[in-house]
Each structure stands twice: as C-alpha cells, then as structure tokens.
Amino acid sequence: MTDLDNYKQQLREFYGSRTTYDHEKDTRHPLEAKLLIEFVGLHSGQKILDVATGTGLVAIPAAEKVGSEGYVIGIDMTPGMLHQARLKIAAAKLQNIELIEADAEYFNFSDRSFDVVFCCEAIVLFPDITTILKKWYRFLKPGGFVAFTCPPETAIMASLQQRVCARVLGVSLPHILEPLGTPEKCRKLLERAGFRDIEIKIEPSGRYHPLSDNRLSMTVININFKSNPLLSKLSPEQLNQLQVEYKAEIEKLATDRGLWIDTTKFFVRARK
C-alpha cells in the first residue's frame, strides 16, 4: 500500500466512525454548511455538485432550495456518512438528489455540468488542491461558482503539532492546513485554476477543549500530515517522545477552562 493509499484509508476510517457527525459536541458543521449555502445564494432549477458531501449537510438544504426543477449530486468516499445522508434524504422525501460513493479526486463529470460546486470542511483533505480546483473549474458552467470552507493555517493546534513533529523528526513536515491557510494563498490557488471574482469571508470561532485526552493519535498525525512518508519511519521511541512532548506543550497552554482551540473558518467563493 502506498502512503497515499494509506492516507485515503485513514480518512475513510476516521470519518466512517463518526456516526453522530451532525451532533458532535461543540460541532459547528450544520451552521457552517448553512453559512456556505447563504454565501452563494441558490435559486430554483440550478444543478449543484457537493464534493465530500458526508452526511448531506450542504446537499440536502441545497436540494430543497433548487426545487424539483433543479438537481443535486453529492459525492463522498465514506459509506458510513452516506448512509446517514440517505436516511435524512428519505425522511425529507427528496427526489432531486443523488449520492455517489466514490473518490472525488478521480471521479469525473462532463464539462460545464454544474451551476455551483460546494466543498464544506473538506478541501484541505485533497492531496493536490490545485488539480482538484482545476477539475471543478471544468465541471462548472461559465459564470458558475465554486464555494468552500477551510481553516487558517494557525487553527486546530496546527503550528504546535508541526513544531513537535519537527523536534522529533529533525525536519519540518508540511501541514494539511498550509496550502489554503491564508486568504492570499486561497486567492492565488483559485486564480491559478482560472477563477475570478474571488471573495473570502473570515468567520472567527473557537472553543475550550477539556484536557482529558491530550494524546495525538497516529490517525490524526497521518491525516494532518497527509501520511508523509517520513511518518512511517518513526521508531517506537520517537513515537513515545512525540506524545510526551505534545502533552507537555498542551499542558503549558491549558487554562482553568481547558485548552483554547481556534476553529476559525474562511468562507471562500469564486466565479468561473
């Protein structure tokens, strides 16, 4: 199995195990999906693609907005999340929505098929963001929109994880949040893919996290560094050192209320 295959498998397992994704403690997933849809403004008859649709938090309200004259396709590679989405679609009695279980990196649609391509919470997970943006550009009709959310490169303890890994490995690994981690980086990647009229809205948010679990799991490490080949070379001693150093750093930052986690999001919209 290649490092990339291993990374995709980790993603499937990590998201597939989250059977209460919509209602996770301190979750902002439904709110962010709602804000992303509002940022674009949908209307009747449009055709929508929702990439990494998950439990349908964007796809289902989008299907309601585009109505019976419109159509929504949601694509995701996680069967457990798609199962949750199908239950909600059945409960809502929606007929204008189709779910596809596939890896969106390799799945193709005809050029100029969609009015909007959404990707809520997941664009940072793609191994090659420039290539996926160019693909979405092809899928869009002229004048159509791409819209996605992504965190800043400083969010969810990214710099701390990077610092600790660098100390243990002796080399700094690129973090998953880096490619789109500033408004300028978002803008440059979109322009490179051909997009124009780029708008980026910053929604600050954060929460206190209890210190009950301050370990950095190997699954999270592999996802956050996209299964970098150097990670597979970590010895048991290095893994233990990583955990010890991470715990020490976390405890330094902790307050009486717990650890402050920055969950700020960029809401990004651009036109073909």
Side-chain angles (χ1 to χ4, degrees):
M1 184 182 280
T2 68
D3 294 306
L4 187 56
D5 290 337
N6 180 51
Y7 168 64
K8 294 277 182 76
Q9 189 58 39
Q10 298 255 10
L11 284 178
R12 278 194 193 94
E13 290 170 8
F14 180 69
Y15 285 97
S17 66
R18 293 165 75 173
T19 54
T20 56
Y21 183 82
D22 295 10
H23 311 289
E24 286 174 352
K25 188 175 184 294
D26 301 321
T27 186
R28 284 173 54 88
H29 309 318
L31 173 62
E32 286 174 6
K34 179 175 179 286
L35 291 174
L36 188 61
I37 291 171
E38 288 172 356
F39 195 32
V40 175
L42 302 181
H43 54 79
S44 178
Q46 288 183 308
K47 191 167 183 186
I48 310 296
L49 175 62
D50 182 29
V51 179
T53 194
T55 62
L57 288 171
V58 167
I60 291 169
E64 291 168 342
K65 285 186 178 294
V66 300
S68 58
E69 300 299 309
Y71 197 67
V72 175
I73 295 176
I75 183 168
D76 200 288
M77 65 179 184
T78 313
M81 286 204 148
L82 289 176
H83 174 69
Q84 294 175 63
R86 287 189 178 100
L87 293 176
K88 293 194 288 184
I89 290 164
K93 296 183 169 61
L94 289 168
Q95 303 294 319
N96 63 337
I97 183 168
E98 174 189 356
L99 299 181
I100 297 171
E101 184 185 326
D103 184 342
E105 187 183 8
Y106 301 113
F107 200 89
N108 276 304
F109 297 94
S110 300
D111 291 0
R112 303 184 173 200
S113 293
F114 299 98
D115 295 289
V116 184
V117 175
F118 284 113
C119 186
C120 190
E121 302 266 358
I123 189 170
V124 296
L125 300 172
F126 283 94
D128 186 338
I129 292 169
T130 299
T131 298
I132 203 71
L133 283 171
K134 286 178 178 175
K135 182 177 263 199
W136 296 348
Y137 184 89
R138 281 197 295 104
F139 295 166
L140 283 168
K141 299 173 184 176
F145 284 103
V146 66
F148 59 84
T149 64
C150 59
E153 58 192 5
T154 52
I156 59 167
M157 312 302 291
S159 52
L160 189 151
Q161 292 169 13
Q162 200 168 26
R163 197 162 64 244
V164 170
C165 280
R167 281 211 299 265
V168 172
L169 281 164
V171 60
S172 183
L173 302 183
H175 195 278
I176 196 169
L177 300 189
E178 284 181 47
L180 291 163
T182 66
E184 294 75 22
K185 287 179 178 179
C186 288
R187 195 174 295 279
K188 280 182 183 170
L189 281 176
L190 283 160
E191 286 171 349
R192 203 176 299 152
F195 288 98
R196 60 190 172 91
D197 299 342
I198 300 162
E199 286 192 51
I200 301 167
K201 192 165 63 171
I202 301 171
E203 288 280 342
S205 70
R207 65 175 186 268
Y208 282 99
H209 187 74
L211 282 187
S212 53
D213 181 11
N214 52 10
R215 287 179 61 80
L216 192 57
S217 76
M218 269 318 291
T219 298
V220 169
I221 293 169
N222 273 312
I223 289 174
N224 285 351
F225 295 99
K226 294 187 178 177
S227 284
N228 190 291
L230 289 175
L231 294 173
S232 61
K233 297 183 173 73
L234 281 169
S235 67
E237 292 76 22
Q238 284 176 310
L239 279 172
N240 183 60
Q241 184 193 350
L242 192 148
Q243 296 295 356
V244 168
E245 295 207 18
Y246 184 73
K247 184 178 179 184
E249 292 281 356
I250 291 290
E251 286 171 354
K252 276 188 225 165
L253 295 171
T255 69
D256 293 343
R257 297 176 67 184
L259 180 70
W260 177 254
I261 306 286
D262 179 10
T263 57
T264 295
K265 284 284 164 63
F266 300 155
F267 286 74
V268 184
R269 180 184 76 184
R271 191 191 296 271
K272 178 173 178 175

